[in-house]
Amino acid sequence: MPGHDDFIMVSTPFHLRPYRADDEDAAIELWLATWQRAYPSIDFVARVPWWRARWRDELVPNAAIMVAEQAGALIGFVTLDATGYLDQLVVAPDRWGSELGDRLVAEAKRLSPDCIALLVNADNARAIRFYERNGFVHAGEDVNPTSGRPVLRMEWKGQPE
């Protein structure tokens, strides 16, 4: 029978830092693991080449990307372009419900203190509740041009000083 010390988890704090080119593979793997967990009926493995090209050609050159790192491992990231559009907020599935998502949103708000807009799948109730808790409000409906799924537009407006 294991001793009680076998069950003590030491939590290493995570830190946020700017994305580096050598984070690409870890970011792609994290994106894949997260979306597969959120939508297990969709084959995200088949989408990896498309996603890698989009990551390299659209997001990396045009967005501020902040990553969360813990014990040398990438556990989350947020992408935010110059217009305040939050394209991706990715949190490792084993960190869902932790402070990590809130910290990444707080970082996005720091980077874009006036307004942030995003699209979220209309059937992703967990994500919608998360954004609502972080001050985002519904601002319209649309359809994702890639997946054809209905999406909600959500916005956060900073407080005027």
Side-chain angles (χ1 to χ4, degrees):
M1 177 178 215
H4 79 283
D5 288 341
D6 295 337
F7 298 103
I8 295 174
M9 277 186 62
V10 177
S11 179
T12 307
F14 64 86
H15 67 279
L16 302 181
R17 63 167 174 79
Y19 173 82
R20 298 185 300 245
D22 64 351
D23 293 325
E24 180 179 305
D25 288 339
I28 300 294
E29 288 172 24
L30 185 58
W31 173 88
L32 174 62
T34 301
W35 281 99
Q36 279 190 313
R37 176 77 175 271
Y39 289 97
S41 63
I42 298 174
D43 181 5
F44 284 97
V45 171
R47 294 182 180 193
V48 167
W50 162 81
W51 176 250
R52 188 177 296 276
R54 183 168 183 265
W55 181 260
R56 287 178 177 171
D57 300 340
E58 294 177 35
L59 293 173
V60 169
N62 299 309
I65 303 173
M66 294 299 290
V67 302
E69 187 176 53
Q70 185 175 44
L74 202 67
I75 59 171
F77 61 84
V78 63
T79 69
L80 192 73
D81 74 14
T83 69
Y85 180 71
L86 191 159
D87 189 278
Q88 295 290 313
L89 175 67
V90 173
V91 173
D94 65 346
R95 305 295 196 297
W96 289 359
S98 74
E99 70 173 308
L100 178 56
D102 296 331
R103 289 269 309 278
L104 288 167
V105 168
E107 182 64 10
K109 289 176 179 178
R110 185 187 70 76
L111 294 169
S112 182
D114 295 328
C115 182
I116 297 174
L118 59 88
L119 297 175
V120 61
N121 288 331
D123 64 355
N124 193 340
R126 185 188 54 77
I128 293 167
R129 285 190 306 271
F130 168 80
Y131 288 119
E132 289 171 342
R133 280 194 315 272
N134 277 279
F136 287 76
V137 297
H138 297 252
E141 298 176 8
D142 206 342
V143 173
N144 181 307
T146 304
S147 69
R149 291 177 174 267
V151 292
L152 299 178
R153 179 176 172 83
M154 296 187 80
E155 292 181 349
W156 169 82
K157 302 254 188 228
Q159 301 301 318
E161 294 185 20

